[in-house]
């Protein structure tokens, strides 16, 4: 069983729509990262959170440690938001490994 | 400076060549990472350096040889690669332990 499950795997939206991507994980963690990768491009770290909620521009990330669940929301989506969004929890301590979800491919149409 | 800089951005090499990938950061991060990413797959961890010492080697073949000359620089030396080694190679750095990840934009490697 994959330790990190993301849903949906693919998401198509119209410009302006509210987007939600979900992430569930089975391991105990100290923090969780949300990452963005445009096709053929490098990875950008959007958020690192260990509790509660963070907001940056049109992006909001929430995490519920007890339920082992995190969500990434995009408000007023735009075609430039089209990318793969990856959830990556880490267990912290001396374990330097991130565990990556398979990613959600988001396409926002104009 | 809040970036991880990787050079070159693209590299084509033959199976008998020797080449190196370079990664640099000036954020004072003491952990640095090499990841390999195949198309439409999540990144796979290759190596971790912590305080300039190799702390994790994910059973990577010896044709990949990492080097961390100082706290700002991470190299990946390549020798006798195979076509299946063609991938996007990503460097990352973080504070210790494992917080505040910053990824580079990657080197697109093609082995011919």
């Amino acid at each position: 069983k994959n330790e990190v499950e993301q849903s949906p795997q693919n998401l198509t939206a119209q410009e302006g729509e509210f987007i939600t991507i979900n992430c569930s994980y089975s391991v105990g963690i100290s923090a969780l990262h949300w990452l963005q990768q445009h096709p053929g491009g490098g990875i950008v770290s959007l958020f690192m959170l260990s509790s509660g909620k963070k907001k940056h521009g049109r992006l909001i990330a929430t995490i519920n440690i007890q339920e082992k669940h995190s969500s990434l929301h995009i408000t007023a989506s735009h075609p430039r938001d089209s990318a793969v969004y990856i959830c990556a929890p880490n267990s912290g301590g001396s374990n330097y490994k991130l565990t990556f979800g398979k990613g959600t491919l988001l396409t926002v149409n104009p | 400076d809040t970036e991880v800089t990787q050079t070159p951005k693209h590299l084509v090499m033959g199976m008998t060549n020797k080449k190196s990938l370079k990664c640099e950061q000036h954020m004072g991060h003491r952990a640095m990472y090499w990841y390999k990413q195949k198309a439409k797959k999540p990144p796979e961890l290759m190596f971790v350096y912590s305080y300039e010492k190799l702390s994790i080697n994910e059973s990577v073949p010896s044709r990949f040889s990492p080097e961390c000359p100082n706290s700002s620089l991470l190299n990946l030396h390549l020798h006798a690669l195979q076509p299946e080694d063609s991938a996007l190679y990503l460097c990352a750095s973080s504070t210790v332990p494992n917080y505040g990840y910053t990824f580079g934009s990657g080197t697109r490697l093609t082995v011919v």
Side-chain angles (χ1 to χ4, degrees), chain B residues 11-15 36-39 63-64 78 81-89 107-112:
Chain B
L11 178 62
V12 180
M13 61 185 291
M15 289 188 283
K36 172 182 176 181
Q37 188 181 28
K38 302 286 274 186
R63 57 186 184 270
F64 296 91
L78 314 172
L81 295 193
Q82 303 297 310
E84 59 264 29
D85 296 321
S86 298
L88 180 67
Y89 288 84
T107 294
R108 177 78 55 191
L109 175 68
T110 303
V111 182
V112 297

Side-chain angles (χ1 to χ4, degrees), chain A residues 40-43, chain B residues 3-13 20-24 34 37 78 86-91 103-110:
Chain A
I43 290 177
Chain B
E3 290 186 347
V4 172
T5 303
Q6 288 189 244
T7 55
K9 294 197 181 306
H10 301 274
L11 178 62
V12 180
M13 61 185 291
S20 295
L21 309 184
K22 179 180 172 183
C23 172
E24 198 163 4
W34 280 115
Q37 188 181 28
L78 314 172
S86 298
L88 180 67
Y89 288 84
L90 293 160
C91 175
F103 282 86
S105 56
T107 294
R108 177 78 55 191
L109 175 68
T110 303

Side-chain angles (χ1 to χ4, degrees), chain A residues 30-31 33 35 37 40-45 48 86 90-98 100-102, chain B residues 31 33 35 37 42-43 45 48 50 55-56 58 88 90 96-101 103-106 108:
Chain A
S30 59
H33 299 259
L35 310 169
Q37 187 171 32
I43 290 177
V44 174
S45 180
M48 185 202 69
I86 304 169
N90 81 263
S91 54
S94 60
N95 179 354
Y96 295 100
K97 293 175 65 170
L98 291 182
F100 292 90
K102 292 186 177 179
Chain B
Y33 311 79
Y35 286 88
Q37 188 181 28
L45 182 66
V48 179
S50 175
S55 61
I56 295 178
E58 290 287 297
L88 180 67
L90 293 160
V96 177
N98 211 357
Y99 293 145
Y101 257 73
F103 282 86
S105 56
R108 177 78 55 191

Side-chain angles (χ1 to χ4, degrees), chain A residues 18-36:
Chain A
F18 182 83
I19 304 292
T20 295
I21 300 170
N22 294 301
C23 174
S24 295
Y25 52 91
S26 56
V27 296
I29 69 166
S30 59
L32 181 142
H33 299 259
W34 280 102
L35 310 169
Q36 179 196 56

Side-chain angles (χ1 to χ4, degrees), chain A residues 72-90:
Chain A
L72 176 69
H73 306 284
I74 304 175
T75 62
S77 59
H78 190 277
R80 64 175 174 266
D81 297 326
S82 298
V84 175
Y85 292 84
I86 304 169
C87 167
N90 81 263

